[in-house]
Amino acid sequence: MNEKNIIIMQAISAALMGSDYFMPESLRKSINDPLRDYFLGVKERALKPFPDYWNFFWKNKRETVYPLAIVLLSLFISELHPFSIHYTSSLLHVVISIIIIFWFLIFAISIILISNSILNQIATLVLLNIPITGLAFFLEKSGKGPMAASGFIILMISFYIRYKQ
């Protein structure tokens, strides 16, 4: 993106943010109220699938909760290293090795169960809906109104584009 486009974005953001100071209250309210209602609807539509996913997650514990618990427990165990195989007897060394191999087999099966459809659905939900919900929440709850808040967002985007050049 060239400098001209960045300057245009910054001019638009200045106009939107300056609307709070240069626009009469009644006109500003007639613009901000429908925008606030629109962003409230966007936030509600983005949050709508969360209860369905939550119910699906808990109803299918065998495919969701238990494998996730095994994965988290495996990560916890791998970080703690609760035992040292080097200083054990040969029989105990074999038993610990078999337990570790068995545990990692369960870990691999858990990863496969999680990654089939549930992880894809949850990742899609998190990666798409949470940023949209956060942006809509910011625009809806802004003290100066959604119009000035959208100017602020455009300004931040222009700064980011300028930084990346």
Side-chain angles (χ1 to χ4, degrees):
M1 190 172 262
N2 61 20
E3 288 293 319
K4 179 182 166 189
N5 293 339
I6 293 173
I7 296 296
I8 290 171
M9 287 177 70
Q10 290 177 346
I12 291 171
S13 70
L16 289 172
M17 289 169 38
S19 67
D20 189 52
Y21 298 104
F22 301 116
M23 195 179 283
E25 178 71 30
S26 60
L27 180 60
R28 193 171 60 240
K29 184 169 173 44
S30 68
I31 293 171
N32 280 333
D33 286 346
L35 284 174
R36 190 170 281 116
D37 292 340
Y38 173 75
F39 289 121
L40 176 64
V42 168
K43 185 178 72 173
E44 288 174 353
R45 284 189 300 276
L47 289 175
K48 189 176 183 179
F50 273 104
D52 296 334
Y53 280 111
W54 189 255
N55 290 336
F56 176 77
F57 191 76
W58 286 107
K59 283 181 184 175
N60 299 311
K61 289 179 186 166
R62 198 173 127 217
E63 291 86 16
T64 58
V65 177
Y66 301 141
L68 187 61
I70 289 173
V71 168
L72 293 175
L73 187 61
S74 297
L75 292 173
F76 181 72
I77 289 173
S78 70
E79 287 299 316
L80 280 185
H81 303 292
F83 47 81
S84 176
I85 298 176
H86 302 294
Y87 300 109
T88 58
S89 67
S90 61
L91 179 63
L92 189 58
H93 179 73
V94 170
V95 170
I96 290 175
S97 298
I98 290 172
I99 290 172
I100 289 173
I101 290 170
F102 182 69
W103 185 262
F104 280 114
L105 180 67
I106 293 173
F107 175 77
I109 291 170
S110 300
I111 291 288
I112 291 168
L113 285 174
I114 288 175
S115 66
N116 272 345
S117 64
I118 294 133
L119 191 62
N120 294 335
Q121 291 175 2
I122 291 173
T124 302
L125 181 72
V126 169
L127 293 176
L128 294 179
N129 287 350
I130 289 181
I132 292 169
T133 304
L135 186 63
F137 181 79
F138 173 74
L139 290 169
E140 176 203 355
K141 298 292 184 186
S142 173
K144 297 291 184 181
M147 189 165 50
S150 61
F152 176 75
I153 290 172
I154 292 171
L155 183 66
M156 291 296 108
I157 291 170
S158 73
F159 287 156
Y160 177 77
I161 292 170
R162 183 171 295 222
Y163 172 75
K164 282 300 192 179
Q165 283 184 347

